[in-house]
Amino acid sequence: MSFFAVLKVLSALAVASVLAGCVPSQDQLSASRLASGARECQTVADSSAACFFRNSPVRLEDRVVRLPGRALEFRPMAEALAFVDGEGRQWLAPRATLTDGASIPAVFIPIVGAPRSREFINAAVVHDAFCGVGNETGAAYHSRTWQETHRVFYDSLVVGGTEPVRAKVMFAAVWLGGPRWEVNDRRETRSESPLPSSVLIAGMREARDYIQRSEPTMPELIGYLNWLEWDMERRAFRGGPSRGSSVPVQQ
């Protein structure tokens, strides 16, 4: 069964659970492993880290590009930048990739902060090459799954020097609110979460608190976020109260 076929089965099971008024089971959350199978990258200070950048730090052109409907300024990359993940796969951001230096959905910036400091920029441009606005005609765009792409955002953040707990909070924001797509389809199944801002913000605060309190592994975090998204949908469309973070998380 293909990756997306598994996810479609998971979605169907989640809908059935909503209709039945119960929380998805551990089996229903097991697809979270598909997005968390890569060997987790360590911090840049760890000499055993299997992950690294090629041609770092990113080099940007001096010229500014403005895109319709976007408040932030974009700049093209002057040279290509590559990231090698824990499985040895290369993620190439080609020359001329556009970046605004911020891959966090705008609705979450009051919680996460505006990530435009130097330690985030390498991770941001790699993420932008695969799903960022303005790069729709690029060779990398949507060439890998949204789950893998958002996951590598975390890995490239920690290799770039971001403290792991903060990197996981930033990853959670992209996973919950960021774009989703079918592989090699230039269209997006969504550009951002369709949930109301109030529900998204409340859910992101819960995710941040869970990460800071529990310091989960990536498989645990992805399992939690899959459940949290289901819970947010239930709140938004069925009006039920939150069950907090009591859901059993995938080990």
Side-chain angles (χ1 to χ4, degrees):
M1 184 179 290
S2 71
F3 184 90
F4 273 94
V6 172
L7 289 181
K8 287 176 181 177
V9 170
L10 178 64
S11 298
L13 289 170
V15 169
S17 296
V18 170
L19 294 176
C22 59
V23 174
S25 69
Q26 289 282 57
D27 289 341
Q28 293 167 12
L29 292 174
S30 64
S32 66
R33 289 178 175 174
L34 295 171
S36 59
R39 191 149 56 104
E40 188 166 335
C41 297
Q42 304 301 311
T43 65
V44 69
D46 186 346
S47 60
S48 68
C51 312
F52 58 92
F53 287 100
R54 289 196 176 110
N55 204 28
S56 176
V58 66
R59 297 164 180 84
L60 302 177
E61 295 183 17
D62 291 333
R63 66 187 177 94
V64 170
V65 176
R66 294 190 178 275
L67 298 180
R70 298 284 171 165
L72 295 175
E73 296 178 344
F74 288 74
R75 292 174 64 190
M77 292 174 57
E79 298 179 21
L81 175 74
F83 178 72
V84 177
D85 68 18
E87 298 297 323
R89 295 180 304 170
Q90 177 170 273
W91 296 74
L92 179 65
R95 182 181 179 278
T97 295
L98 289 180
T99 185
D100 61 1
S103 290
I104 299 301
V107 68
F108 294 145
I109 286 178
I111 300 171
V112 178
R116 304 198 74 186
S117 70
R118 185 175 297 276
E119 71 187 77
F120 307 135
I121 188 63
N122 280 4
V125 298
V126 170
H127 194 256
D128 286 341
F130 285 82
C131 64
V133 64
N135 297 310
E136 293 85 355
T137 60
Y141 192 80
H142 290 183
S143 61
R144 291 181 178 158
T145 68
W146 66 264
Q147 294 92 338
E148 293 172 299
T149 301
H150 295 341
R151 166 60 194 268
V152 89
F153 179 58
Y154 164 77
D155 287 328
S156 55
L157 279 170
V158 296
V159 171
T162 304
E163 192 273 327
V165 169
R166 179 162 174 74
K168 285 175 180 175
V169 172
M170 294 169 67
F171 161 79
V174 170
W175 185 277
L176 292 174
R180 296 183 180 181
W181 60 88
E182 300 283 348
V183 176
N184 293 324
D185 189 339
R186 300 284 156 168
R187 299 166 301 175
E188 293 181 339
T189 55
R190 74 173 208 196
S191 59
E192 58 186 21
S193 175
L195 294 173
S197 294
S198 59
V199 173
L200 277 171
I201 291 170
M204 186 60 220
R205 287 195 179 115
E206 290 173 23
R208 178 197 60 194
D209 293 346
Y210 165 74
I211 292 165
Q212 292 175 344
R213 178 179 65 252
S214 303
E215 297 189 19
T217 64
M218 286 303 288
E220 289 171 341
L221 177 55
I222 291 171
Y224 172 81
L225 294 175
N226 285 343
W227 171 82
L228 179 60
E229 186 168 26
W230 170 87
D231 191 49
M232 291 192 296
E233 290 172 354
R234 183 176 60 83
R235 288 181 235 175
F237 302 124
R238 291 181 60 85
S242 170
R243 295 177 64 92
S245 57
S246 60
V247 65
V249 177
Q250 183 68 51
Q251 300 295 327

